[in-house]
Amino acid sequence: MRTLTALLLSGALLLLAAERAPMDHMGPQSDGTFIVATGQRIEPGTIHFAGRPIDLALHPTRDLLAILDQGSVLLATRAGVVAGSEVKTLKGASYRGCVWHPDGNRLFVSLTNGQLQEFRLEGDRLVSVGPIDLKRAAGAVGGGPSGSANPTELEHALPAEVEKRNPVPGGMCITRDGTRLFVACASRGAVVEVDLTSRKRVADYPTQNVPFEVRLSEDERTLIVSNWAGREATKEEREEDETADSDGATVVVDPRGVVSTGTVSLIDRATRSRTDLLVGRHPAGLAVRGHQAFVANAGDDSVSEIDLGRKRVARTMRLRWGKQRLFGSMPNVLALKGGTLYTCNGGDNAVCEMDLRTGKVRGFRPAGFYPVGICLARDGRTAYVVNTKGNGSVQNTTQGKPGNAHNFQGTVSVIDLTADLDAATRRVAELNYWHRSRQVLRPKLAVYGGAIKHVLYIIKENRTYDEVFGDMPQGNGDKSLCGLPEEVTPNHHALARQFTLFDNAYVSGTNSAEGHQWATEGLGNDYIERFYGGYARSYPYDGTDAMAYSSGGFIWDAALKKGRTVRNYGEFCSDQEAKLVPNPRNWMVAWWDRQSGKNSIKVTAYSRVQGLRAYTHPSVTCWPLLTSDQWRADQFIEDYQRLSRDDKVPNLMLLTLPSDHTEGTNPKYPKPKSMVADNDLALGRVVDAVSHSPQWKDTCIFVMEDDAQAGPDHVDGHRTVCLALSPYVRRGFVDSSLYTQISILRSIELMLGLDPMTRFDALCPPFAACFQETPDLTPYTTVQNRVKLGDMNPPLRALRGDDLFYAKKTLELDFSGVDTADWYWLNRIVWHSLHGGKPYPVRRG
């Protein structure tokens, strides 16, 4: 067999020809592939359905798959989903966990509320048996013998403060006799044992931080547990600020704030003795054979082999291809057959085959968008792979309807393992653009040759392209979806008209928890991708969970590594630590405090991200929205002008302007139009200030939403508002090149001379067509708002009909965090506010 490097190089000429052709829009392509939110292409899934699946399990005796979707379980064969088989779960799916009982008559899944749910198989239908509670049963006591026959006796119960928490169950396994189930509980720091006769929790086995999956050794005497967040911190590490929080777990981090360890625990069931072994970062899926166990290290692109007899790591196998060594494959689950180990690589959208004798990669086979589960058929010829993001957010747009970022089409790829591996590897290389040319990745432009010394990256909240720019005839817009036209957003329109309009730019994430990771790291790691929707442990849009950070680090880490200067205004500032003193009772109080010039409300910002904290403005916060974007613009402009006068403008600046998120029709806040108008004016003022400074001559400003979940778009729910502003940006131009958030990060890296963080940004073309070689130093002048700022939503007593209905619905929602309000209802509330009685165009799912 030819070497992997030779196989990949053989496809390079084909790729060079293909990449010169203009890229299409996101979604389905004429050749049958899909372009997804990362800019990669994927092969369509063999089986598809509306939803975002998280796990699957193959029936022990039949060619029947159980697929755990976000809020349901459905059955499928290789021919497709069994009609009428979908059944709702009691709560949403957890991050992992779907297993058949050995008798094939019972199925167990993990739920985000901390329970397991049992189903009974009747023919080709599942019937819910009900939940299994993983909290301490009433009257349970500790101290009984392991596996006590008394179901009310709970051995080694955990401390009371741990008992109160949602255990967040995940990966499971069952003994061969079907009497005991073991489940890894991420936020309990333990594996829970369940007696399947009584359906009661009977024992806990403490592990290290954030257990992901549990397997039994072949003799069933040992529990093998992958600890997603690694080892416990030492006293010295806690004292030296070398730790961070992950939903109550104190995890060890490096100076950037990224989790730095991963472990596997080997627990003797009889004696409860435990051996902890250091492996790679983010150890996830496990596979066991004889005296060997294997764990996929999703944070290090590696697999660790463990000698169970000697209780040690025997070797580490790297998932490498060609000369590329950058992080990004993210192997997260494993399957084993003969001398071959199969890994689901979330970042490669592929299944990787590894030779266990040599520890080397044999090749790759295409899967769908971010595979997270694999089952091997009994014939040894077929792999069933579940892809959590499927074909992308195309469930509506493939039917000719406007789409939302949440409209996922989940898939299962049925892969023929006997097909030519060389050809499959070449195909994976093509789909991932592993051989993009230097000319495409590093265009010979002034902006990438030293002309730019300062970059301002403005991150806003949640709007689609059609919502804002759908009324601009120059671009590919749908005016019927435009609720925030030029009357509301005159600065957005003026900037797009005076500089360049981008009508084919996309966010890579789906909501703020994902979006801020993609916007600043160019990658959503395995933890973020698995917790979509449920977020039982955290919602880390504001930098409050170290598990959510990419092993490649953040864009500011890349800048600091090269000696560049950094200043942050609100990005990744914790809303829990944000302080407003005195705390205004509503938006108008804070508004009048600013308008009067008193500025008596003092705001304190704080970032939990170690690598960012020292570079963060002490007063600018993203959330709560009690402060207007005018106030945020005030803080930025004052600071910027001071730095400009001293000729100390940082090389990299990040600014959050979140008011376009809105607060629905809450009477304590302005109307959605007014809040978006506030956001628009703040953007105009910031660009005005920067463009009138001496540093404008070598500055570039990028503007993008963190996500686009708040509205519909006729192309794709990820398409969004995007701007590039600089003397080197073409005037009066439309750039229809396909760009993502990763494109912005790659452009920043090239402008400031930074190294790529992961293979995603390393292989992503930067902005190019919009740039010119001769600078036009004409500054931008703010366009004054046309919609009144501070136009408050009316009180409920003044409302009737649908206006009253949506106002009441607003007050039912949780606005304590950036996306705690149900996106489904908030979208419809804002749509009604902007469009009146016009029906909302996007259906659920």
Side-chain angles (χ1 to χ4, degrees), residues 374-392:
I374 182 171
C375 294
L376 301 182
R378 282 169 293 280
D379 63 11
R381 301 170 58 89
T382 306
Y384 299 102
V385 177
V386 67
N387 308 295
T388 188
K389 296 194 284 189
N391 289 330

Side-chain angles (χ1 to χ4, degrees), residues 84-310:
S85 67
E86 184 172 11
V87 57
K88 296 294 183 183
T89 49
L90 297 170
K91 292 290 183 181
S94 193
Y95 63 92
R96 175 80 166 149
C98 181
V99 62
W100 288 101
H101 190 276
D103 66 13
N105 295 322
R106 303 161 75 185
L107 179 76
F108 302 89
V109 301
S110 293
L111 302 181
T112 193
N113 69 339
Q115 296 178 324
L116 306 182
Q117 185 171 356
E118 179 181 350
F119 295 89
R120 183 175 63 253
L121 181 64
E122 296 182 357
D124 286 337
R125 297 291 183 272
L126 291 171
V127 177
S128 177
V129 174
I132 297 175
D133 198 342
L134 299 180
K135 293 183 179 180
R136 185 183 304 181
V141 295
S146 180
S148 169
N150 181 355
T152 64
E153 224 172 59
L154 178 63
E155 184 185 10
H156 300 285
L158 297 170
E161 63 272 16
V162 177
E163 286 284 353
K164 294 177 182 178
R165 302 177 65 85
N166 179 347
V168 189
M172 296 180 282
C173 64
I174 300 177
T175 54
R176 282 189 292 271
D177 64 9
T179 62
R180 290 288 191 269
L181 177 148
F182 299 90
V183 55
C185 292
S187 288
R188 181 165 281 165
V191 168
V192 170
E193 180 178 354
V194 176
D195 181 330
L196 289 180
T197 301
S198 65
R199 302 178 73 251
K200 299 292 185 182
R201 168 186 167 209
V202 294
D204 296 308
Y205 299 84
T207 63
Q208 292 196 303
N209 282 322
V210 194
F212 176 93
E213 186 155 88
V214 58
R215 288 286 182 264
L216 284 158
S217 60
E218 287 196 356
D219 62 12
E220 298 195 339
R221 294 177 180 178
T222 303
L223 296 175
I224 306 159
V225 188
S226 55
N227 299 304
W228 225 353
R231 65 175 174 81
E232 295 161 353
T234 65
K235 179 181 178 182
E236 291 75 17
E237 287 167 333
R238 293 172 187 264
E239 292 174 348
E240 295 297 321
D241 195 28
E242 296 174 4
T243 62
D245 180 72
S246 177
D247 190 41
T250 301
V251 300
V252 183
V253 298
D254 64 21
R256 303 169 302 172
V258 176
V259 171
S260 59
T261 73
T263 62
V264 168
S265 295
L266 307 179
I267 306 172
D268 188 296
R269 289 179 62 195
T271 67
R272 304 182 66 85
S273 62
R274 191 182 85 198
T275 300
D276 299 314
L277 304 174
L278 281 172
V279 292
R281 287 176 288 192
H282 283 234
L286 293 160
V288 179
R289 180 180 65 183
H291 293 292
Q292 295 171 303
F294 301 88
V295 62
N297 302 313
D300 275 336
D301 290 354
S302 68
V303 175
S304 295
E305 178 186 327
I306 296 168
D307 184 326
L308 296 175
R310 297 183 179 182

Side-chain angles (χ1 to χ4, degrees), residues 44 46 78 337 340 342 351 353 363-367 374-377 379-385 412-425:
T46 313
R78 65 179 65 202
K337 189 170 183 63
T340 302
Y342 299 91
V351 171
E353 293 191 14
F364 302 84
R365 298 187 188 277
I374 182 171
C375 294
L376 301 182
D379 63 11
R381 301 170 58 89
T382 306
Y384 299 102
V385 177
V412 173
S413 299
V414 181
I415 300 175
D416 181 358
L417 299 177
T418 67
D420 186 344
L421 183 58
D422 291 358
T425 301

